[in-house]
Amino acid sequence: MAVTAALRDILDGLRSTGAQVIAPGDDLYDGARRVWNGCIDRRPLAIIRCHGGGDVAAVVRCAAAAGVELAVRGGGHSLPGFSTSEGGIVLDLSPLGTVEVDPARRSAWAGGGATWATYDAATHVHGLASTGGLVSTTGIGGLTLGGGIGWLTRAHGLACDNLFSAEIVTADGEVLTVTADSDAELLWGLRGGGGNFGVVTRFGFRLHPVDTVTGGMMIFPAERAEEIAGFYREWAHTASRDFTTMLVWLTSPPADFVPDGLRERPAIAVVGCHVGTLDEADAELAPLRRLAPVADLYEAQPYPQLQTFFDADLPAGGRYYFKGGFLPALSDGALSTINRFMHDKPSTWCELDMHHMGGAVRDVADADTAFADRQADFTYNIIAIWDDPSLDAVHREWTRAFADALAGFGSGTAYVNFLSDGSETDTVRAAYGADRYDRLVALKRRMDPTNLFRLNQNIRP
């Protein structure tokens, strides 16, 4: 997109406010335009790094006045590439990364550009935490606004369940502080409705006592997948809410803890985080240990350390495509479908994560947040990972076929943070369900009637 004189004047005006404006030709541009998913390669008109709510409001007004596409970037982990734009403006929140903790009130305030690594480090000093993601480099913003599944889900709910307040810049550049008292409906929408209603520059979270946890995984060879999955299905129903687990179909890592003949071979693993005592964790793990895993990595460790467990497996610049959904139960048909598709996966590091839900997730009423499905026993994430751009179509087709095959066993809704496709209305409506989607539309019409914030799993006004 050509830079008009009027737009150049606007960008110059933003520079004068102290915001860092990075444009094509600048030394920082190529690095600044990159995002986590290597499939996404776009060239924004400008990347504007904001240092406060005033900067953010100015960028929002600038984009609206110029009629250009606006992308909002927190951690840059958006799978479909919503945190960047081809020819538009990227509002980069990364300078807003500070975290303030009030241990007496068990609360934390985090800037919209903070990552979970920063957040967890700050709260851990006080022996406190709230649910974040499974990768420490993920931004707190996108994950929370989409719902927020993580290591503490069954013990302490979703990330959005712990959100009690937010500072948000609206489509007209107004800065609001949102609480249940000031605007209960907007807070409802921010708890799972994505970035549809404005730019959240500050998040207020409730904290819980979490310090040392028992976390890790047990690995079994893929030849035992049917046995292990069948056992896990029954065992998971006995797990306490202190234990958040996943059943993962994966490739075993090329690490010393894996026996020689099983390294980089298909495997199935039980991954998890237990927030109770070590003795309590060991008691719950004992039935799994009696199955004789080839590797047992469960150990006591600081919670922030567990948050980095998958970081190396999902590096910035890899090529990723995800699809997910909710399962009311882990049926024989669903397990057979998973085993079939994972046997035929198109490359080594593709995997499927089956998250066990329930526990604290069900403490919140269905109507209290915009999150799509609190009653499902499981939510799954089909994760395609590859390096060669010539294999893009193969991996996307495999993931879509896999998701279509599992859909018949699902609830029909989906966790929006696990969707790699764009913002087609039918897809988003199905993900939320008709009633919830209609309520989100009404809120969108109030907050953003021109759909300025459309780079997201979009709720169209």
Side-chain angles (χ1 to χ4, degrees), residues 140-152:
I140 66 165
L143 185 121
T144 299
L145 295 174
I149 293 170
W151 295 111
L152 304 178

Side-chain angles (χ1 to χ4, degrees), residues 163-166 178-180 183-191 443:
L163 180 70
F164 68 84
S165 184
V178 182
T179 66
D183 194 330
E185 188 68 2
L186 180 52
L187 185 62
W188 172 86
L190 296 177
R191 291 170 165 167
L443 181 61

Side-chain angles (χ1 to χ4, degrees), residues 172-438:
D172 58 6
E174 185 180 2
V175 181
L176 303 177
T177 298
V178 182
T179 66
D181 292 331
S182 68
D183 194 330
E185 188 68 2
L186 180 52
L187 185 62
W188 172 86
L190 296 177
R191 291 170 165 167
N196 277 281
F197 311 110
V199 183
V200 181
T201 54
R202 202 161 182 248
F203 293 80
F205 293 105
R206 286 186 295 272
L207 296 171
H208 309 273
V210 177
D211 192 351
T212 298
V213 300
T214 303
M217 68 177 173
M218 292 186 197
I219 303 174
F220 304 84
E223 291 76 16
R224 298 182 65 190
E226 185 175 347
E227 171 201 357
I228 300 304
F231 180 89
Y232 175 85
R233 174 175 58 190
E234 303 307 318
W235 172 84
H237 286 299
T238 71
S240 73
R241 63 195 292 145
D242 283 344
F243 207 178
T244 299
T245 66
M246 291 190 295
L247 185 63
V248 182
W249 285 255
L250 75 171
T251 297
S252 58
D256 291 342
F257 56 76
V258 179
D260 287 345
L262 295 175
R263 293 173 189 168
E264 297 191 73
R265 299 288 298 166
I268 189 167
V270 179
V271 185
C273 172
H274 197 294
V275 300
T277 67
L278 181 58
D279 287 345
E280 290 168 340
D282 283 343
E284 294 206 63
L285 287 165
L288 288 168
R289 287 184 167 133
R290 286 195 288 269
L291 296 175
V294 298
D296 182 354
L297 304 182
Y298 277 93
E299 63 178 354
Q301 58 190 289
Y303 172 67
Q305 179 178 317
L306 182 62
Q307 271 282 52
T308 67
F309 193 73
F310 286 123
D311 284 9
D313 298 325
L314 296 163
R319 304 183 80 80
Y320 303 101
Y321 188 77
F322 292 7
K323 271 191 172 295
F326 292 101
L327 293 178
L330 200 51
S331 66
D332 289 345
L335 289 176
S336 176
T337 299
I338 293 167
N339 287 328
R340 174 164 54 90
F341 273 89
M342 289 307 298
H343 181 269
D344 296 329
K345 63 184 180 180
S347 59
T348 300
W349 301 110
C350 297
E351 67 179 57
L352 180 131
D353 297 349
M354 185 67 65
H355 299 258
H356 185 206
M357 303 295 281
V361 175
R362 291 184 184 153
D363 290 347
V364 178
D366 288 340
D368 285 353
T369 72
F371 184 75
D373 193 336
R374 293 182 177 274
Q375 301 310 312
D377 280 349
F378 299 94
T379 184
Y380 61 86
N381 190 15
I382 304 165
I383 303 176
I385 306 173
W386 70 104
D387 293 321
D388 185 350
S390 70
L391 298 177
D392 286 2
V394 170
H395 286 80
R396 288 173 180 148
E397 288 166 7
W398 173 80
T399 307
R400 290 167 183 160
F402 196 167
D404 288 345
L406 274 180
F409 306 102
S411 66
T413 54
Y415 176 38
V416 293
N417 285 350
F418 287 167
L419 298 181
S420 287
D421 288 324
S423 54
E424 294 85 358
T425 298
D426 289 346
T427 300
V428 179
R429 185 181 181 87
Y432 283 108
D435 292 345
R436 187 173 286 102
Y437 181 80
D438 289 346

